[in-house]
Amino acid sequence: MRKLGGQNYHSIGSLLPAKGSEPKFSRLYIYDIENKIANRQRCFRGEKDQSTSIDSDVIEDIKVMLDSNNVLVRSYRMTRDTFLKDPEVDMKLRLIERREQAGRTYNLPTASEVATLIIGDISDSIEKRDIVLHPSYLPLQYPLLFPYGDDGYSVDILHRGVSFTTNTKCAKCTMREYFAYRIHDRDHSFSLNLNSKRLFQQFLLDAYTTMETERLYYIRRQQHVLRCDSSENLRNQKAQGTTDISNVGQRVILPSSFTGGARYMLQSYLDAMSLCKWFGYPDFFITFTCNPKWPEIKRFLKDTSLQPKDRPDILCRGLSHSHICLFMHSDNKLLTAELIDPIISAAIPDIIEDPELYSLVNEFMIHGPCGDENMNCPCMVDKKCSKNFPKQFCNHSSVDQNGFPLYRRRNDGHFVEKLGVMLDNKNVVPYNKYLLKRYQTHINIEWCNQGSSIKYLFKYINKGPDRAIVAVVPANNECGNNDVVDEIAEYYDCGYLSACEASWRIFKYDVHCRYPSVVILPFHLPNQQHIVYGEDDDIDDVLDKPSVAASKFTSWMECNAIDSEARKLTYVEFPTKFVWILNVRFWKRRKVGKAIGRIHSVSPKLGEAYFLRILLNKVKGLTSFDEILTVNGQRHSSFRNACYALGLLDDDKEYIDAIKEASHSGSELSLGVDELKYLTLFEIEQILLRNNSTLKNFKNMPYPDVESVSSSNNRLITEELDYDIPVLKNDYDRMFLALTNELRNIFLNIMSAI
């Protein structure tokens, strides 16, 4: 695995090894060149493991091959020889040798890198890119994969059969297309890439992180030229005689269209919750894992010396890992626990009655052994199984007091043996017999009958990659606004990537998939549609954009005015019968496919926008903003008053719905009854104070006593001290035990100093 940490690069390090260390990497070209073959051989063997020694003849043959055929290797050797013959360098090397003999160390400065990403201005004659991969980077970094020193990727590679004059935008090969081409298997040709095993995995990770760096750098560069503002504000600027709009509006940040970003994940989560709103809770949660022993994978590799792990590009085509929420039709819902047993099993089958199923359960669906039999099992946390295995025997499937299913696990005497331990039904991961036989891999299936787990499941599916380290770095904002969050820097938060994931992304496979599709429905107040424009754009050209005259929201009202079928639907129901045609900016009746709508969420503190959203969820066939404001023939002055006139705000239902909706995307909070009674008003007041408001602005709302409100001066201290000591103690003990000896000494030294 490779760490994605902000930039794709390779550090060479010092020219000479540290005292007591063996030379590695480029040091082999400079240090003790008389024994260079033996030094290279030792790098692969190690001091303790003598069985993995590489034949010195093989090393010599590779060296001769590269010297004879690779122009970059020959150039590097010439540069090295010139470097070593330099009198000043020779003097420093001799000085180092004498100081090391005297027991002191002295390292030369870090060498410059052989190849890296070149960032800077690029001529328009090549391509308007802000970051480019040097053509010599790949052959220098991977000389065995580019034995002739031929160029790697460059921005001026043309697609075959396409010229600049036909379609400039599509004429050139993108970085993703180049890498996808390099890692494809082809008949009647031998690929060094695909047969290089671990080196191929490193190449994949290099390729993916380079692609991501290019995309993110492009987005960052666009922050200096793109702006976003409402059409009303721009018209006001024009009315005041302003023509320069380079400093008007807010900068665009990491958009939801960037796959894997925070906004992308949030939108995917909200889409999933929209499906839940339309179809109810999902019935099954399925975890599906690729099996490297699948016959098609073995068949593909049968004439090679490769193992499945050596070809992550093949494994990723086999659905390497997925989480699936499945919604059953209303006629097939499992309404009671007794209906679970024919679908979900948590038992070891009889080896005589069904030997095939017994073998599959034994291989794929047994958890452990863990606990006292195996304390080193990955599931063990604080000397307990984090998956709560082994379970308890149960003669009938039921639901516990918290709403979670308890699957039938009878004490029938069936068992399997793992690592010398006899395991029974208490260690079986729930599975479906048909799916297990059909796909012959680990497929865990769970019944989702309780609403409390739905939010967790959707967040789990859309949480994005795991993080190892998080760094908070202030943004360098030209406008001097230090409160602006650098979302691109936050994306670079040390996520770890696997070679399978890199292959998946290079091949441009879907990260998330849902059916039916979810259409996001934006809306806006009158003349408040947002426009994205460049800092050098003319203000008249910006205001004349088609998106200003015909937004998706205003076009919906226009469609209602001319189509009687459309007037039977609310805005959120509209995508079920109509489809948005972007190039003509018009809603057209849907002929094929299926989709549901999701209106953008807004906070109640936005006032009129919040009340407009309430109306759009309830009222059908609206044709204009005036019609939205008109109730029973009377035009109201605000959307809030229109909501009251329709009886939508006569009780607390809409506010309760808003709280429930916000809870779907917020963090869970658990308070005791006494704490809840005491702190509710105080906490509400603190939230309002932080947002320049107060409970005094709301009629008929109780107000906390003066003593409680005065304690808001210590809010930061109160929040800082609001932690669970036992939980933190357990986390500390677990993480301390996981430290290496070196890290533990560092930690103890720091704590002693504190």
Side-chain angles (χ1 to χ4, degrees):
M1 307 183 82
R2 172 151 308 207
K3 183 169 65 176
L4 179 63
Q7 186 92 353
N8 191 49
Y9 66 91
H10 293 273
S11 176
I12 290 180
S14 61
L15 293 178
L16 292 180
K19 183 180 180 181
S21 300
E22 297 291 340
K24 295 180 180 180
F25 311 117
S26 295
R27 302 187 186 109
L28 297 171
Y29 289 90
I30 299 172
Y31 179 88
D32 192 15
I33 58 178
E34 289 80 6
N35 300 296
K36 52 185 177 294
I37 299 296
N39 289 334
R40 289 190 179 93
Q41 193 177 25
R42 188 161 47 249
C43 286
F44 291 96
R45 183 179 62 226
E47 293 297 330
K48 297 181 179 180
D49 186 6
Q50 303 292 327
S51 62
T52 58
S53 176
I54 304 298
D55 192 332
S56 59
D57 292 337
V58 173
I59 299 176
E60 180 64 28
D61 289 344
I62 293 176
K63 172 184 174 298
V64 172
M65 182 270 292
L66 293 175
D67 287 343
S68 303
N69 299 284
N70 195 311
V71 62
L72 295 175
V73 171
R74 291 200 301 268
S75 175
Y76 187 88
R77 292 194 188 281
M78 292 174 60
T79 304
R80 179 207 63 184
D81 293 341
T82 303
F83 173 78
L84 292 177
K85 292 178 182 178
D86 186 288
E88 183 179 355
V89 173
D90 182 69
M91 180 184 67
K92 289 185 177 180
L93 291 174
R94 293 178 183 276
L95 177 61
I96 292 171
E97 184 177 2
R98 290 197 300 268
R99 292 197 173 190
E100 287 185 341
Q101 291 175 353
R104 291 175 292 175
T105 60
Y106 177 84
N107 287 332
L108 284 174
T110 301
S112 59
E113 294 187 10
V114 175
T116 186
L117 297 176
I118 300 176
I119 302 173
D121 296 329
I122 303 172
S123 171
D124 291 341
S125 61
I126 301 179
E127 189 173 9
K128 291 184 178 179
R129 288 181 181 267
D130 301 294
I131 184 170
V132 67
L133 186 66
H134 194 280
S136 296
Y137 168 75
L138 291 174
L140 283 169
Q141 176 63 26
Y142 301 97
L144 295 182
L145 302 184
F146 295 81
Y148 296 100
D150 47 318
D151 283 347
Y153 173 76
S154 63
V155 296
D156 55 352
I157 299 177
L158 295 178
H159 284 136
R160 184 177 301 171
V162 181
S163 63
F164 280 100
T165 57
T166 56
N167 190 339
T168 303
K169 182 178 180 180
C170 300
K172 300 172 186 177
C173 176
T174 66
M175 190 181 296
R176 188 201 65 80
E177 291 171 335
Y178 169 81
F179 286 121
Y181 176 86
R182 292 284 307 190
I183 66 176
H184 261 296
D185 209 344
R186 293 172 177 82
D187 293 335
H188 312 298
S189 63
F190 180 81
S191 171
L192 279 174
N193 280 8
L194 301 180
N195 288 272
S196 58
K197 298 188 177 181
R198 292 181 63 187
L199 189 62
F200 177 50
Q201 298 185 34
Q202 179 177 331
F203 178 83
L204 289 172
L205 293 167
D206 250 359
Y208 173 69
T209 54
T210 302
M211 288 164 42
E212 288 289 84
T213 301
E214 181 200 33
R215 291 170 179 164
L216 290 168
Y217 193 79
Y218 174 81
I219 293 174
R220 182 179 292 283
R221 292 283 292 178
Q222 295 305 302
Q223 311 301 308
H224 300 284
V225 297
L226 291 182
R227 296 290 185 273
C228 182
D229 206 348
S230 67
S231 57
E232 183 181 51
N233 288 344
L234 291 177
R235 288 193 177 96
N236 292 337
Q237 292 289 331
K238 181 180 178 181
Q240 297 173 8
T242 301
T243 58
D244 181 9
I245 54 176
S246 61
N247 294 319
V248 177
Q250 298 177 346
R251 292 184 174 182
V252 180
I253 40 188
L254 191 62
S256 60
S257 59
F258 181 82
T259 303
R263 279 183 170 79
Y264 172 88
M265 292 299 178
L266 177 60
Q267 295 303 319
S268 297
Y269 166 72
L270 294 175
D271 287 347
M273 292 304 300
S274 296
L275 291 172
C276 194
K277 181 179 179 181
W278 278 83
F279 302 108
Y281 295 138
D283 296 272
F284 299 109
F285 177 64
I286 303 173
T287 300
F288 190 113
T289 305
C290 170
N291 179 10
K293 298 179 182 179
W294 275 333
E296 52 267 41
I297 296 178
K298 288 186 174 181
R299 185 169 59 249
F300 188 86
L301 301 174
K302 67 177 182 177
D303 296 328
T304 70
S305 61
L306 301 175
Q307 298 296 321
K309 64 182 180 181
D310 299 326
R311 290 296 302 271
D313 60 316
I314 298 300
L315 295 183
C316 83
R317 298 181 200 184
L319 196 65
S320 55
H321 193 78
S322 65
H323 300 288
I324 305 169
C325 277
L326 190 63
F327 297 79
M328 301 297 290
H329 189 274
S330 57
D331 296 338
N332 301 106
K333 294 282 187 179
L334 304 181
L335 302 179
T336 62
E338 290 76 13
L339 300 176
I340 301 177
D341 295 335
I343 299 178
I344 301 178
S345 178
I348 299 172
D350 190 292
I351 190 172
I352 299 177
E353 294 180 0
D354 198 338
E356 179 190 8
L357 184 61
Y358 177 89
S359 176
L360 293 172
V361 171
N362 181 22
E363 184 175 2
F364 300 115
M365 305 309 301
I366 298 297
H367 178 87
C370 61
D372 294 336
E373 289 82 7
N374 184 12
M375 296 300 295
N376 295 323
C377 188
C379 67
M380 296 300 294
V381 178
D382 295 332
K383 299 182 179 181
K384 294 182 180 179
C385 175
S386 59
K387 310 300 180 183
N388 296 319
F389 280 95
K391 307 292 185 178
Q392 297 297 319
F393 285 126
C394 183
N395 290 326
H396 303 281
S397 296
S398 60
V399 179
D400 66 13
Q401 59 183 1
N402 296 319
F404 289 91
L406 300 175
Y407 303 109
R408 183 175 63 188
R409 300 173 185 270
R410 294 172 177 170
N411 188 6
D412 52 16
H414 295 161
F415 66 89
V416 298
E417 183 177 349
K418 293 283 187 179
L419 301 178
V421 179
M422 301 300 180
L423 302 175
D424 52 26
N425 290 339
K426 293 187 290 184
N427 288 82
V428 177
V429 178
Y431 64 92
N432 175 268
K433 297 178 181 179
Y434 171 79
L435 292 178
L436 185 57
K437 286 187 175 182
R438 174 68 178 83
Y439 294 103
Q440 299 186 16
T441 189
H442 176 85
I443 307 181
N444 174 215
I445 179 169
E446 300 283 353
W447 182 40
C448 308
N449 72 312
Q450 68 284 343
S452 59
S453 67
I454 304 306
K455 179 174 66 174
Y456 164 76
L457 290 180
F458 287 150
K459 282 189 174 182
Y460 182 80
I461 293 174
N462 299 288
K463 67 182 177 62
D466 292 332
R467 309 302 187 198
I469 303 174
V470 177
V472 180
V473 181
N476 183 15
N477 189 282
E478 294 180 356
C479 299
N481 184 3
N482 293 327
D483 295 330
V484 176
V485 177
D486 189 340
E487 295 187 2
I488 297 177
E490 285 191 344
Y491 178 77
Y492 276 132
D493 58 357
C494 297
Y496 279 87
L497 304 169
S498 68
C500 273
E501 182 182 356
S503 303
W504 188 279
R505 297 298 301 277
I506 291 174
F507 286 134
K508 205 178 179 180
Y509 296 154
D510 289 333
V511 176
H512 290 90
C513 182
R514 64 191 62 84
Y515 180 83
S517 60
V518 179
V519 178
I520 301 177
L521 300 172
F523 71 98
H524 53 82
L525 297 174
N527 298 319
Q528 292 290 324
Q529 54 264 52
H530 280 74
I531 315 169
V532 178
Y533 55 90
E535 62 179 0
D536 297 327
D537 289 353
D538 182 78
I539 191 170
D540 292 319
D541 294 338
V542 173
L543 291 172
D544 289 339
K545 284 187 173 185
S547 59
V548 177
S551 67
K552 186 180 286 188
F553 178 52
T554 57
S555 297
W556 166 70
M557 291 189 285
E558 294 173 1
C559 187
N560 287 336
I562 61 176
D563 193 317
S564 59
E565 186 70 21
R567 289 194 289 272
K568 299 178 182 179
L569 305 170
T570 63
Y571 189 31
V572 73
E573 297 170 339
F574 212 65
T576 62
K577 301 294 184 181
F578 290 80
V579 60
W580 173 249
I581 310 300
L582 180 61
N583 56 348
V584 295
R585 307 197 69 79
F586 184 76
W587 287 97
K588 182 181 178 181
R589 287 201 182 190
R590 180 180 295 276
K591 296 181 180 180
V592 295
K594 187 176 182 180
I596 63 174
R598 172 171 69 82
I599 304 180
H600 268 306
S601 299
V602 295
S603 170
K605 74 176 184 179
L606 294 180
E608 283 295 271
Y610 171 75
F611 296 111
L612 174 59
R613 186 178 186 273
I614 293 177
L615 292 168
L616 295 177
N617 276 292
K618 302 294 183 181
V619 185
K620 301 178 180 180
L622 301 174
T623 61
S624 66
F625 284 104
D626 283 338
E627 185 174 345
I628 299 175
L629 291 168
T630 303
V631 179
N632 297 326
Q634 180 181 356
R635 188 185 187 280
H636 295 272
S637 59
S638 66
F639 297 114
R640 181 176 184 272
N641 292 338
C643 286
Y644 274 110
L646 285 171
L648 300 178
L649 299 179
D650 287 343
D651 53 26
D652 295 332
K653 183 179 183 302
E654 289 300 329
Y655 296 103
I656 294 173
D657 290 343
I659 294 172
K660 289 182 178 179
E661 183 177 5
S663 72
H664 288 322
S665 56
S667 300
E668 298 182 12
L669 179 65
S670 178
L671 291 176
V673 176
D674 294 336
E675 292 178 298
L676 189 61
K677 291 180 180 180
Y678 178 79
L679 294 175
T680 296
L681 280 177
F682 173 73
E683 291 297 331
I684 292 175
E685 178 65 11
Q686 301 313 297
I687 295 172
L688 292 175
L689 289 174
R690 290 196 291 267
N691 290 275
N692 299 320
S693 185
T694 175
L695 280 171
K696 295 179 180 179
N697 296 337
F698 300 89
K699 296 181 179 179
N700 301 324
M701 281 292 293
Y703 190 79
D705 58 82
V706 177
E707 182 178 354
S708 297
V709 176
S710 64
S711 65
S712 63
N713 294 329
N714 298 323
R715 175 176 56 84
L716 294 177
I717 297 177
T718 302
E719 292 179 353
E720 180 64 25
L721 295 176
D722 185 20
Y723 46 73
D724 191 323
I725 295 178
V727 171
L728 289 181
K729 179 62 167 60
N730 290 335
D731 290 343
Y732 165 81
D733 292 338
R734 175 173 54 83
M735 290 186 287
F736 184 81
L737 291 175
L739 292 177
T740 63
N741 291 334
E742 181 182 6
L743 291 177
R744 186 178 294 109
N745 290 334
I746 294 174
F747 172 76
L748 293 176
N749 289 337
I750 293 174
M751 295 305 297
S752 297
I754 294 175

